[in-house]
Amino acid sequence: MGNMFNRITKLCIYLAVFLIPLWFLPFSFEQFEFNKQLLLGLLLSIAFFCWIAKMVLVDKELKFKRTPLDIFIGVFLLIAILSVIFSVDRGSSLFGFYGRFSDGLIGLINVVLLYFLITNNLTAENRLLRTFSWSAFFVILLSYLSIFGVLGKLSNYLSMISDKLSFTLPSVMTGVGFNPTGGSMEVLAVFLAVFTVFLVGRILLESRGKLSGIINYLLLIASLILLAIIDFTAAWIVLLVSLALFVAMALWKRIFRERVGRLMLPILLVILAGVFLFVNASIFNFQLPKEEILEQGLSWKVGFGAATGTVKNGFIGSGIGTFFHDFSKYKPVAFNESDLWQMRFNKPANRISEVLGTTGFLGLISYIALIGMFLLISLVLLQITTPKPKSQIPTFKQLPLLMGFLALLVGQFVFYQNTTLVMMFWLFLALSVVSWEKPVSEKTFSLQKFPELSLIATAVLIVIGLGILGTYYLSYKVYRADMIYAQSQKMALGPERTALIEKAVELNPNFAQYQAILARAYLNEALGEMRKSPEEQDSLALQAMTAKAIDVARNATERGPGQVATWETLGMIYRDIRLVASGAVEWGIKSFRGAIELEPTNPVLHTELGKLLTINNTEEAKEEFERAKGLKPDYLDAQIQSALIYEKEENIDEAIRKMEDLSLEYPFTTEVLFQLGRLYFNADRIDDAISQLEKVVSFMPNHSNAFYSLGVAYKEKGEDGKAIEAFEKVLELNPGNPDVQAKIDELKK
């Protein structure tokens, strides 16, 4: 029985190390990180239960290995837990932000558990390292097959014979640029850079002529070619800095002494990385997809802004897993000048700035202390195990692990972390501790001497088992919900799509994103009902749908209080239903103010708030439009609304003057021309109105509102034939519109 528990524990550890870099499933909406986190939790929970069961049921004693890093890991984990308790968005802090998943407390507990399982159950690192190397080999192989189009051709072939063979490749695998490490080429590049540094360490310790050394050289060449194809700056920085630091350390400690020629390989790779980094020596012309990544300086500004935003944040941050909140709230106004100003980044440019912002200065200090203690002990052991002058190769077997860890550490200063990279960080950390041997001690608690303690331990084991089973059930519901949600997003807007999202929310009400999407679906159905003629409109159905939209959107703000999108969705719903729901304007104003509190530098939110304020308070509306223009002077919607506010104040001449100025600045922008034409019509300048509206329809032949206004203008001028043509075009674009049909019938009479 004891051997069975031990084998299962080790098997799960080996499977986790092998499968996590490769694992993905096409069934969920997010196909990589979500599935990796669930698999990691499944395997490690089984390993943990078998480990505890062996000690309680078979050995009758509790054995725990104590390492010098345990206290530092415990302190960092404690700070992370405190940050969750006081988080601005506890759901995201606990489970990870939707789409990332690896940045939450559960993800952190998974990798910390991996560390303790390895340090307590493995006595040698070589087999697990070979397992990791095999995993990296398959990652490289799949990446080559994808980049050179082999997977796409294979998918086409399977589709051709699909009548005989029901199996086809998932669509995510068919595109050029697929890789299983995390979906993006940038993640793959950093993974390869770390693996390359690790391989260099393996090669330096290999005796010449061994088969394993030849295999490592082949893997090294394959990794370098892939790195050159992707040509990602952060990956070259990881390769250059980590190997340069290693060479400096090796020369300082005289690790190789009489075999100093072995250092030629890392020196050559440092030169190669420098060439690709500084000379832009890309020799390949593959059109690979690129991930939009936040700038490094901006990431540090966001992290520091979050850590200094409040006293609480200074100590424990905004909450682990809440970088999305930190970015929205603390991004500088200058970000609005970039082409990506409308994007809400949920990933930092580097891991360290995220630790600072989400766990505060205490979290950052404890994290750096953990890394510092590891490096300190490693350097001490390196000094002890430095070979004698006559030795051919160093005896420091931790060298590849130390080099890989160093590369991962450098990577955390220049790139964000996903499940694969985080798992590698804690894997190398744990295996390094295993290789230390001497600084690790064992603490034993005998259960045979104390039957009461044995009874308590058995009861605790039962509770752990039931807790794990309960977690499996909840994980099944969560995964099934995401499968249904993924299916809904492939469908067109309509009742069937809404029903699927409702099912996803029912199975997993904790993801605010599901509820925000469901609220928008309800809103779409309500707007469809509102567009019907009074005779066809079902007032009870309209009221029910608007009530559902509001209730679900409010639930979304409760589930994700720190997410701007939930408050923006609620404000948008109140804005669009204000004609059929009393009090909607006031609630919409409150909702947009809530969104602005979370994202104060977003000009869109200020503009939308100003539109609602225009209804009852034009002075405050002007202030919001001015704030929007101050945040982004070229934001056109704010400029248009700032001009239209004068029409609301019955100063039509000033509104026309400002809109004319905009038309000179934006002569081909249809919205500006349309609004100017409409203002001309309201000022009885019919010919000018027709001239502007004709420009609009020439630029945008499907502009329904412009054709409608043009029809009204032609009718006012007495050109009934042209008016009929314009209204018929509107009817073509909006079939069955009773108001337009009535105007056509009236003109034809």
Side-chain angles (χ1 to χ4, degrees):
M1 182 66 74
N3 288 335
M4 183 189 70
F5 282 134
N6 193 45
R7 288 176 181 175
I8 294 175
T9 299
K10 291 183 178 180
L11 176 62
C12 289
I13 294 173
Y14 279 83
L15 284 175
V17 171
F18 178 77
L19 289 176
I20 292 305
L22 294 167
W23 192 252
F24 76 97
L25 288 175
F27 311 116
S28 56
F29 184 72
E30 199 289 316
Q31 300 173 349
F32 295 93
E33 297 299 295
F34 188 44
N35 293 285
K36 291 180 190 292
Q37 283 292 320
L38 288 177
L39 177 66
L40 187 61
L42 172 66
L43 293 173
L44 295 183
S45 62
I46 295 174
F48 177 71
F49 180 81
C50 290
W51 174 41
I52 300 298
K54 177 179 178 294
M55 291 189 291
V56 173
L57 302 178
V58 180
D59 298 339
K60 301 296 182 181
E61 60 181 9
L62 303 179
K63 294 180 182 179
F64 300 100
K65 291 184 179 179
R66 298 175 59 183
T67 76
L69 302 182
D70 292 352
I71 295 177
F72 296 92
I73 294 174
V75 171
F76 179 65
L77 186 60
L78 176 62
I79 293 172
I81 292 173
L82 289 174
S83 76
V84 172
I85 295 173
F86 298 99
S87 172
V88 296
D89 196 312
R90 291 179 184 173
S92 297
S93 289
L94 184 61
F95 300 105
F97 185 70
Y98 187 80
R100 284 193 69 187
F101 302 107
S102 61
D103 57 338
L105 180 63
I106 291 178
L108 177 60
I109 290 175
N110 278 339
V111 290
V112 169
L113 183 58
L114 175 67
Y115 170 87
F116 283 109
L117 285 170
I118 291 175
T119 55
N120 281 273
N121 292 278
L122 298 183
T123 56
E125 72 282 359
N126 287 334
R127 290 184 179 179
L128 196 56
L129 288 179
R130 283 198 294 269
T131 301
F132 171 70
S133 296
W134 274 108
S135 179
F137 164 75
F138 285 111
V139 167
I140 293 171
L141 178 62
L142 285 172
S143 300
Y144 272 114
L145 293 177
S146 172
I147 289 174
F148 287 97
V150 176
L151 293 179
K153 293 177 181 177
L154 178 60
S155 178
N156 293 335
Y157 174 74
L158 292 175
S159 298
M160 291 173 60
I161 61 173
S162 59
D163 294 338
K164 300 179 180 179
L165 185 68
S166 59
F167 174 78
T168 57
L169 292 180
S171 58
V172 68
M173 295 182 66
T174 59
V176 175
F178 162 78
N179 79 88
T181 57
S184 76
M185 286 286 99
E186 290 74 14
V187 171
L188 174 63
V190 175
F191 172 86
L192 291 172
V194 174
F195 184 59
T196 298
V197 175
F198 167 75
L199 282 175
V200 171
R202 301 270 303 209
I203 291 172
L204 292 177
L205 294 186
E206 291 284 353
S207 298
R208 295 187 183 276
K210 289 185 66 175
L211 178 61
S212 59
I214 297 173
I215 294 174
N216 286 331
Y217 266 110
L218 293 176
L219 284 174
L220 179 66
I221 294 170
S223 296
L224 289 173
I225 294 175
L226 262 183
L227 279 171
I229 291 174
I230 301 171
D231 196 22
F232 180 46
T233 299
W236 293 122
I237 292 175
V238 170
L239 194 62
L240 187 150
V241 174
S242 57
L243 286 179
L245 289 174
F246 164 71
V247 171
M249 180 184 67
L251 293 174
W252 174 42
K253 293 291 185 178
R254 301 189 66 192
I255 297 176
F256 292 91
R257 296 189 181 182
E258 295 180 0
R259 306 292 296 180
V260 71
R262 286 178 174 260
L263 291 178
M264 185 55 65
L265 175 61
I267 291 174
L268 288 176
L269 291 181
V270 168
I271 296 172
L272 178 67
V275 169
F276 276 91
L277 185 60
F278 297 110
V279 184
N280 191 24
S282 179
I283 58 176
F284 300 100
N285 191 27
F286 289 92
Q287 299 298 320
L288 300 177
K290 293 186 179 297
E291 180 183 6
E292 297 293 351
I293 299 174
L294 201 61
E295 295 179 356
Q296 293 290 336
L298 183 55
S299 185
W300 281 107
K301 287 181 181 179
V302 170
F304 185 77
T308 57
T310 64
V311 175
K312 186 270 292 183
N313 283 6
F315 285 101
I316 57 175
S318 58
I320 184 174
T322 59
F323 180 82
F324 68 92
H325 165 271
D326 296 345
F327 173 77
S328 295
K329 189 161 188 176
Y330 298 104
K331 63 181 178 182
V333 176
F335 180 71
N336 290 330
E337 299 175 6
S338 71
D339 294 335
L340 306 177
W341 69 275
Q342 288 183 301
M343 288 188 64
R344 289 180 177 136
F345 285 89
N346 59 26
K347 301 173 185 175
N350 61 80
R351 164 70 171 163
I352 304 300
S353 64
E354 181 178 20
V355 173
L356 173 61
T358 58
T359 62
F361 287 101
L362 287 181
L364 181 62
I365 291 171
S366 64
Y367 192 63
I368 293 176
L370 165 64
I371 295 171
M373 177 56 69
F374 168 77
L375 293 176
L376 178 62
I377 296 174
S378 297
L379 289 175
V380 171
L381 292 176
L382 179 64
Q383 181 68 33
I384 295 173
T385 56
T386 299
K388 296 178 181 180
K390 294 183 180 180
S391 300
Q392 291 185 354
I393 58 174
T395 58
F396 187 52
K397 61 183 179 180
Q398 191 205 352
L399 187 63
L401 291 168
L402 180 60
M403 293 176 64
F405 182 86
L406 191 61
L408 285 164
L409 179 59
V410 174
Q412 293 192 4
F413 280 91
V414 295
F415 195 65
Y416 68 84
Q417 300 291 281
N418 71 341
T419 302
T420 299
L421 296 175
V422 171
M423 188 273 291
M424 290 171 61
F425 178 87
W426 290 90
L427 169 67
F428 284 13
L429 192 69
L431 290 178
S432 297
V433 172
V434 171
S435 70
W436 287 351
E437 297 179 359
K438 290 183 179 180
V440 179
S441 61
E442 190 172 73
K443 190 72 173 177
T444 302
F445 300 93
S446 176
L447 300 179
Q448 292 178 335
K449 297 179 180 179
F450 303 97
E452 298 86 358
L453 187 59
S454 178
L455 179 64
I456 294 173
T458 304
V460 170
L461 179 65
I462 294 173
V463 171
I464 291 174
L466 293 175
I468 290 174
L469 290 177
T471 302
Y472 291 165
Y473 174 70
L474 293 176
S475 298
Y476 162 75
K477 291 182 63 177
V478 168
Y479 195 78
R480 186 158 173 258
D482 207 59
M483 289 176 60
I484 294 172
Y485 176 72
Q487 183 181 353
S488 72
Q489 297 308 295
K490 298 176 182 178
M491 302 176 65
L493 294 175
E496 293 183 2
R497 182 175 185 266
T498 302
L500 286 177
I501 304 175
E502 287 175 337
K503 185 63 176 178
V505 171
E506 180 184 347
L507 288 169
N508 181 15
N510 293 313
F511 284 170
Q513 290 82 354
Y514 290 173
Q515 300 198 3
I517 296 297
L518 179 59
R520 295 187 182 214
Y522 286 146
L523 174 63
N524 181 69
E525 293 188 21
L527 293 177
E529 195 68 34
M530 290 170 62
R531 295 188 190 101
K532 295 179 181 179
S533 63
E535 296 78 13
E536 298 177 341
Q537 195 175 94
D538 188 339
S539 59
L540 293 178
L542 177 60
Q543 292 176 5
M545 205 56 64
T546 54
K548 282 184 177 181
I550 293 171
D551 289 342
V552 174
R554 284 178 175 174
N555 288 336
T557 61
E558 294 173 2
R559 296 289 183 179
Q563 300 179 31
V564 183
T566 60
W567 291 96
E568 185 179 22
T569 297
L570 183 59
M572 180 180 66
I573 290 172
Y574 280 125
R575 177 199 65 193
D576 291 345
I577 66 171
R578 66 184 184 275
L579 298 178
V580 297
S582 60
V585 173
E586 290 75 16
W587 283 107
I589 291 172
K590 291 180 180 179
S591 300
F592 278 117
R593 289 194 190 280
I596 289 172
E597 185 178 349
L598 295 174
E599 194 172 30
T601 60
N602 188 341
V604 177
L605 298 177
H606 287 280
T607 302
E608 294 302 321
L609 175 60
K611 290 178 183 179
L612 287 178
L613 288 170
T614 301
I615 298 172
N616 297 316
N617 193 329
T618 56
E619 289 302 317
E620 287 191 22
K622 284 183 180 179
E623 294 176 3
E624 292 300 327
F625 294 143
E626 290 303 315
R627 289 192 184 100
K629 291 191 292 183
L631 292 171
K632 186 172 177 59
D634 60 346
Y635 182 49
L636 186 56
D637 193 24
Q639 298 181 59
I640 292 174
Q641 298 302 323
S642 184
L644 294 179
I645 195 73
Y646 290 98
E647 181 187 20
K648 180 71 175 179
E649 296 178 333
E650 298 182 356
N651 189 349
I652 192 72
D653 292 336
E654 182 64 17
I656 290 175
R657 187 185 69 78
K658 287 188 173 293
M659 200 64 71
E660 286 175 338
D661 292 341
L662 285 178
S663 69
L664 294 176
E665 188 175 356
Y666 303 98
F668 303 108
T669 302
T670 56
E671 183 61 21
V672 173
L673 299 178
F674 170 73
Q675 293 294 346
L676 181 58
R678 191 182 59 78
L679 290 172
Y680 280 148
F681 180 84
N682 291 340
D684 291 329
R685 296 169 58 176
I686 307 301
D687 290 335
D688 291 334
I690 291 174
S691 175
Q692 293 297 322
L693 293 171
E694 286 178 342
K695 288 181 183 179
V696 174
V697 296
S698 66
F699 293 153
M700 186 179 291
N702 293 328
H703 200 302
S704 178
N705 289 338
F707 274 111
Y708 184 88
S709 298
L710 197 56
V712 174
Y714 283 138
K715 179 183 176 183
E716 182 71 18
K717 193 177 179 181
E719 299 181 4
D720 292 353
K722 290 184 177 181
I724 291 174
E725 291 179 4
F727 286 130
E728 286 179 341
K729 182 63 177 178
V730 177
L731 197 61
E732 178 185 334
L733 296 171
N734 301 273
N737 190 305
D739 177 58
V740 177
Q741 186 62 57
K743 290 186 178 299
I744 294 174
D745 294 340
E746 179 184 352
L747 287 168
K748 287 184 176 180
K749 289 180 181 179

